[in-house]
Amino acid sequence: MNVSVRTLYRAFSQGAASPVMGYVRERRLERARAELASTRLTVSEIAARWHFADSSHFVKAYKKRFAQTPTAGR
């Protein structure tokens, strides 16, 4: 995007509904959800692939965002 980190954070603070890291987390969860539906990877493998600390952390974030567990969403 060719902007400084400060400019990026400032842009998010002025108009976005969530901070930068919230936005990034949402994108990661969306991609993980798509991958759950389209691959045979395990929940643990997908959690690791999308850089969640561990599968329990991923399951908790996924459930909070989509109101169901990753296994149920599959």
Side-chain angles (χ1 to χ4, degrees):
M1 292 173 56
N2 205 24
V3 298
S4 71
V5 173
R6 177 139 171 75
T7 300
L8 182 64
Y9 275 91
R10 192 176 323 119
F12 266 82
S13 70
Q14 291 173 354
S18 65
V20 174
M21 290 312 296
Y23 176 81
V24 170
R25 180 186 201 115
E26 286 294 314
R27 298 294 68 78
R28 288 171 41 215
L29 284 168
E30 291 288 340
R31 298 252 174 102
R33 184 180 197 193
E35 207 163 88
L36 275 167
S38 66
T39 67
R40 300 191 87 161
L41 295 174
T42 66
V43 171
S44 296
E45 291 170 328
I46 290 174
R49 185 171 158 86
W50 290 103
H51 307 286
F52 285 88
D54 54 50
S55 60
S56 64
H57 183 90
F58 171 66
V59 169
K60 193 180 296 183
Y62 189 97
K63 190 173 182 179
K64 183 177 179 180
R65 171 63 179 89
F66 300 113
Q68 64 181 359
T69 63
T71 306
R74 183 167 252 175

